[in-house]
Amino acid sequence: MKQIVVYQEKCTACRECEVSCSFSHEGAFVPALSRIKVADFYEEQFYQPMVCVHCADAPCAAVCPTVAIQRQADGQIKVIDDRCIGCKMCLLACPFGVMGFSPDKGVAHNCDFCDGDPQCVQFCTPGALEFKDVVSAAAPAKQKAAAALGLPQT
Amino acid sequence: MQGATVLRVNLSTGQIRKEAVPEQMIKTFIGGRGVGSKLLMDNMDPKIDAFDPRNPLIFATGPVTGTYAPTGGRYMVITKSPLTGAIACSNSGGYWGPALRYAGYEYLMVEGKAKEPSYIYIHDDKVEIRSAKHLWGKIVDDTENMIREETHPEVRVALIGQGGENLARTACVMNDKGRAAGRSGVGAVMGSKNLKAVAVRGTKGFKIANPDAFTAAVLKGRDKLKAGPTTSGLTMLGTAGTVSYMNMVGMLPTNNFQAGVFAGAAAVDGTVVKKDFMTRNRGCHSCMIHCGRVTKVTGHGQFDGRGEGPEYETIYGVGTICGVDNLAAVIKANYLCNEYGLDTLEAGIAIGTAIELAEKGYIPESDIGFKLKFGDADAMVKLLEAQAFRKGPIGHWLAEGGFRLAEHYGHPELFMGSKKQGFAAYDPRGSIGMGLAYATSNRGACHLRGYTISLEHFGNPIKLDPFTPKDKPYWLTILQNTTSFVDASGICLFSTFDMNPGEDVTAMVSESLGYNVGGPEDMLKIGERIWTLERMFNNAAGLTRADDSLPPRITSEPLTEGASKGHVVDLEPMLNEYYQLRGWDMQGRPTSDKLRELGLA
Ligand code: SF4
Ligand code: SF4
Ligand code: SF4
């Protein structure tokens, strides 16, 4: 399953992901409603974009009293707007703090992959965000780590 | 057409009002620097002192600020400058400007003076004036952290450090810790109002007029930046990559402009910043350039620290003009300026001026406390602190800025600047057009009002001979008009090397406002109107042709070594031609025909 993969070391905290996410979903520039958020540790020089990882055992879904948070056929965790009563329990349950809430609509929201064309990925110039299958994305790490263990240098 | 709101906060009376900006004013002046200057003109007498409570402090965003236009995150601080006595417009990035718009305001106008240290907290429709007694005297980072603690984790803060509190005319307004509305002493105006900070939490956001057409313009601009050579250069080395080049062409200001080549240039170049100190890039709101240098200094004793910078101007300000070639010290000085809220340029220029005066024996050693010499990194860092706190006679005079310091010690001619504001990091003797640019800049010497270097050295958009005055007045008016418009839009000037302001920025502004501002010619007209308006402010404030000047070192002492050896700037003929092209009389006053033509009469 594809998801948003974050390479924090490339992130510059420009927040273009936040503006583009909010603009495509809300038709307004309103980063407060972005589904991706950058955690900025200014003094520590560490910027970490945070976005829903569509947990296999999703705490947000488990806590939802109206079963409004459901897994889709493609593996995505999705909020069914009609079922959501706006109790915000999922916001507290999410271990990453990436379930958001729209006061106007009265419903919770998480990353929906922009129907397969993630805006945040498109607008992130330094390449800190990629949309890909994590299982295969992890494979090069194995090669790299193994090589470091003793691949002869040519 | 998209409207705009100005939030007016009167610190004397506690009155808080929200007013609509008249539609006609937006059409005429667009936003940012344009509308901001007009608001200043309409709400004060340019003759009053900059520290008079009646001098409004205006924070202005442009129509693309806060959108996803590439580099669309700027805001400007507009007020009468305590450094120059002219109009000030200091431009900054970060996230504060966008936050102001998300809260529902394009402009914030602060008037009056609070009885005690205060800060303004804006949370969307809710606006409060709060006590800042517990924050007064605190450095920038600590202040921002404390305000975050007592308001909201996602608050954005524009604020002053001790520099602004102590009315240092070299003080800036900081925001988001590492960003500065640097020049012209705007931080001191904030201090004079007893205003420590403006904290903003904006959650409402805003819509633009034509989303689809706007997006098309943005994507086009993005493609140009992606392919652009200046963008990738700035990403890699920041502006600091310019050091070696400027040294090569003999115009890297050294020892208070006594030379244009610096023996230590290679040691303070952007490549060394990147190799030895940089940990990552940082970008302002919606930036594609990410020129911010996030740096760490370790193993350099008293210079160790963490923060942002330096950029090229800083390497000059606290480096080459003071003869300092210790990059760790330069970076440390940058951190300190950020913490105290001092402009890295003006603060460093004041020190460079003091060093020459001291070496020549014009400042008694007892006023300083030690023997001051070019190249002394420790002394430079020490004098920054003295300046922020006005410690001792030297601290006091440094805080008054280089011109007043040099005048006090009897040698105003040794201050290297124009309209009492120090030069940027380009010796105009190696780039004659810059001489005219410095002399005519409405906010005092400045490189961001007409970067003729681009033509005289980089050949963009065409190549001009750096040593002749030919065509310089004409091109300067084009550049000044262009940058006036760019600053009105809310986009960063750095994006315009690779984008075309007359096509790309105008398109973004038009689609954002829902009002067609036109193409390149219209852009130049709007820019000219803003430029002339600023000139009207300055004239009304009492500035004359005599203030469009350069120090004698630049006009009559040729450089003695390097690639620009033998050259001076012959200013007066260029100035005459410039006034003519501008439609001003020989005293630099716009003629009534010109004012009518621009709709300013
Ligand atoms: S757009 Fe990319 S670089 Fe910018 S804040 Fe988001 S993740 Fe970081
Ligand atoms: S919202 Fe949080 S808990 Fe729910 S799937 Fe996403 S990351 Fe997991
Ligand atoms: S993929 Fe789309 S919905 Fe998810 S964070 Fe990125 S822009 Fe927002």
Side-chain angles (χ1 to χ4, degrees):
Chain A
M1 171 203 171
K2 275 182 160 185
Q3 65 187 62
I4 308 292
V5 178
V6 173
Y7 298 93
Q8 72 75 23
E9 70 283 0
K10 292 188 187 167
C11 175
T12 71
C14 72
R15 298 177 188 270
E16 192 145 11
C17 48
E18 296 181 5
V19 251
S20 57
C21 179
S22 72
F23 193 53
S24 70
H25 286 82
E26 316 294 333
F29 293 105
V30 52
L33 298 184
S34 170
R35 289 127 201 260
I36 184 167
K37 287 279 182 72
V38 182
D40 183 356
F41 297 83
Y42 184 88
E43 276 87 4
E44 293 77 10
Q45 310 189 333
F46 177 76
Y47 323 135
Q48 177 73 51
M50 300 291 286
V51 62
C52 174
V53 291
H54 302 271
C55 311
D57 182 4
C60 59
V63 81
C64 178
T66 63
V67 202
I69 302 178
Q70 299 176 3
R71 186 172 305 282
Q72 305 300 290
D74 64 357
Q76 199 191 125
I77 287 284
K78 189 177 167 66
V79 180
I80 313 298
D81 284 6
D82 294 350
R83 299 192 70 110
C84 176
I85 55 169
C87 71
K88 309 184 200 73
M89 289 304 111
C90 52
L91 273 74
L92 291 173
C94 172
F96 307 106
V98 293
M99 183 62 84
F101 185 77
S102 161
D104 286 355
K105 296 181 195 141
V107 295
H109 59 222
N110 64 328
C111 165
D112 61 7
F113 298 142
C114 300
D115 291 329
D117 178 19
Q119 292 299 296
C120 56
V121 174
Q122 205 188 103
F123 278 85
C124 173
T125 2
L129 305 174
E130 286 181 31
F131 185 48
K132 59 185 181 189
D133 181 346
V134 179
V135 179
S136 23
K142 175 191 71 194
Q143 288 302 106
K144 217 173 132 192
L149 290 176
L151 185 73
Q153 303 291 313
T154 48
Chain B
M1 174 184 162
Q2 207 82 353
T5 305
V6 49
L7 173 66
R8 298 182 69 151
V9 178
N10 189 313
L11 294 172
S12 300
T13 63
Q15 196 186 45
I16 294 164
R17 279 181 297 165
K18 293 156 199 183
E19 287 175 5
V21 178
E23 199 165 284
Q24 191 53 38
M25 198 191 284
I26 301 174
K27 287 182 176 166
T28 318
F29 297 103
I30 305 305
R33 181 171 157 195
V35 170
S37 301
K38 178 66 176 153
L39 288 172
L40 186 73
M41 266 297 226
D42 289 354
N43 285 283
M44 82 176 289
D45 170 6
K47 280 195 186 55
I48 62 171
D49 187 76
F51 291 145
D52 190 305
R54 288 170 300 172
N55 181 18
L57 183 68
I58 297 170
F59 297 82
T61 67
V64 308
T65 306
T67 67
Y68 63 2
T71 76
R74 312 296 295 189
Y75 78 94
M76 283 130 268
V77 181
I78 296 147
T79 189
K80 179 169 178 172
S81 161
L83 183 75
T84 63
I87 193 168
C89 175
S90 262
N91 189 306
S92 181
Y95 321 104
W96 189 90
L100 187 67
R101 282 201 87 183
Y102 301 147
Y105 316 99
E106 278 70 24
Y107 304 90
L108 164 67
M109 172 150 51
V110 184
E111 296 160 281
K113 175 181 177 167
K115 274 186 213 66
E116 55 172 47
S118 304
Y119 78 93
I120 298 172
Y121 179 43
I122 302 170
H123 175 196
D124 297 337
D125 297 331
K126 218 172 128 216
V127 181
E128 312 164 43
I129 303 170
R130 295 183 169 193
S131 169
K133 274 203 230 165
H134 59 302
L135 304 170
W136 206 254
K138 295 257 181 308
I139 60 168
V140 164
D141 277 29
D142 292 352
T143 307
E144 179 166 334
N145 291 343
M146 286 169 76
I147 290 179
R148 177 159 290 129
E149 284 281 309
E150 59 193 58
T151 55
H152 188 274
E154 285 171 4
V155 78
R156 303 288 177 208
V157 190
L159 72 170
I160 54 170
Q162 294 93 333
E165 292 176 7
N166 296 323
L167 307 185
R169 293 177 202 266
T170 55
C172 57
V173 172
M174 297 293 302
N175 61 281
D176 304 297
K177 292 182 178 168
R179 295 282 160 273
R183 305 221 67 193
S184 311
V186 294
V189 175
M190 194 155 161
S192 76
K193 296 191 171 315
N194 265 330
L195 181 63
K196 179 71 175 172
V198 182
V200 185
R201 187 174 169 230
T203 69
K204 298 201 309 190
F206 64 88
K207 290 195 160 98
I208 49 166
N210 308 320
D212 293 339
F214 180 78
T215 297
V218 165
L219 293 178
K220 200 170 150 212
R222 284 178 59 88
D223 284 344
K224 291 190 184 175
L225 286 183
K226 265 186 213 156
T230 310
T231 300
S232 55
L234 284 170
T235 305
M236 189 137 78
L237 293 178
T239 55
T242 323
V243 176
S244 292
Y245 178 84
M246 289 304 155
N247 196 51
M248 185 182 83
V249 294
M251 49 185 291
L252 182 64
T254 304
N255 296 356
N256 201 31
F257 289 77
Q258 296 184 83
V261 278
F262 183 48
V268 293
D269 188 63
T271 49
V272 189
V273 175
K274 187 163 173 68
K275 184 165 74 57
D276 291 348
F277 299 101
M278 190 166 149
T279 58
R280 67 197 299 162
N281 287 73
R282 194 169 167 102
C284 297
H285 170 98
S286 191
C287 183
M288 292 180 70
I289 303 176
H290 321 277
C291 73
R293 320 274 89 189
V294 178
T295 51
K296 198 189 283 189
V297 181
T298 46
H300 291 268
Q302 77 273 35
F303 301 139
D304 282 4
R306 271 197 286 197
E308 277 186 83
E311 50 175 338
Y312 174 56
E313 301 295 330
T314 302
I315 293 175
Y316 144 79
V318 292
T320 67
I321 192 175
C322 300
V324 170
D325 64 358
N326 181 334
L327 192 51
V330 166
I331 297 175
K332 178 66 176 185
N334 197 148
Y335 299 163
L336 288 176
C337 285
N338 289 355
E339 294 289 18
Y340 298 146
L342 293 178
D343 174 17
T344 57
L345 259 101
E346 212 59 48
I349 292 163
I351 295 172
T353 312
I355 304 177
E356 182 172 356
L357 286 156
E359 281 200 351
K360 296 213 151 90
Y362 302 143
I363 305 181
E365 204 179 308
S366 57
D367 273 13
I368 305 172
F370 55 91
K371 207 168 190 63
L372 186 56
K373 286 209 150 324
F374 281 114
D376 186 342
D378 286 314
M380 181 272 294
V381 170
K382 223 181 284 168
L383 289 179
L384 279 179
E385 204 194 319
Q387 183 173 162
F389 294 90
R390 285 188 184 261
K391 263 195 230 153
I394 192 65
H396 170 77
W397 286 109
L398 285 169
E400 287 293 288
F403 176 79
R404 288 172 178 82
L405 175 140
E407 191 184 43
H408 170 74
Y409 288 107
H411 290 274
E413 77 283 359
L414 292 182
F415 169 70
M416 295 300 125
S418 188
K419 295 187 184 64
K420 306 188 176 90
Q421 175 157 286
F423 290 143
Y426 311 89
D427 192 317
R429 288 169 291 185
S431 200
I432 302 293
M434 277 315 287
L436 186 65
Y438 287 149
T440 58
S441 165
N442 286 329
R443 68 165 182 178
C446 172
H447 60 300
L448 299 170
R449 295 293 185 264
Y451 194 66
T452 65
I453 305 285
S454 188
L455 298 125
E456 298 177 285
H457 287 281
F458 305 148
N460 180 3
I462 61 157
K463 179 83 175 81
L464 296 180
D465 177 356
F467 299 120
T468 70
K470 192 170 159 338
D471 298 335
K472 301 297 162 65
Y474 167 75
W475 277 103
L476 182 62
T477 62
I478 301 284
L479 295 176
Q480 288 174 337
N481 295 348
T482 303
T483 50
S484 299
F485 178 84
V486 171
D487 288 345
S489 77
I491 219 160
C492 172
L493 215 44
F494 285 179
S495 73
T496 59
F497 286 105
D498 293 327
M499 272 198 303
N500 183 332
E503 287 167 13
D504 302 311
V505 183
T506 48
M508 290 178 217
V509 169
S510 296
E511 303 310 343
S512 160
L513 285 176
Y515 160 70
N516 188 359
V517 303
E521 290 305 317
D522 309 280
M523 171 196 78
L524 289 174
K525 202 37 101 221
I526 295 165
E528 184 184 7
R529 186 181 298 131
I530 296 169
W531 188 263
T532 309
L533 179 77
E534 292 175 335
R535 183 75 186 188
M536 288 165 73
F537 181 99
N538 287 353
N539 287 343
L543 275 72
T544 65
R545 177 176 179 135
D547 296 289
D548 293 344
S549 64
L550 296 171
R553 173 164 294 164
I554 301 302
T555 54
S556 52
E557 286 173 34
L559 284 160
T560 56
E561 50 177 335
S564 299
K565 183 176 163 178
H567 294 282
V568 292
V569 180
D570 188 7
L571 180 65
E572 296 306 319
M574 275 198 295
L575 201 54
N576 291 339
E577 189 184 337
Y578 172 86
Y579 286 166
Q580 232 154 26
L581 286 164
R582 279 255 172 247
W584 300 352
D585 68 18
M586 282 301 117
Q587 288 312 306
R589 291 172 301 218
T591 59
S592 44
D593 281 353
K594 191 40 129 187
L595 294 182
R596 253 194 312 276
E597 178 199 320
L598 294 171
L600 292 171

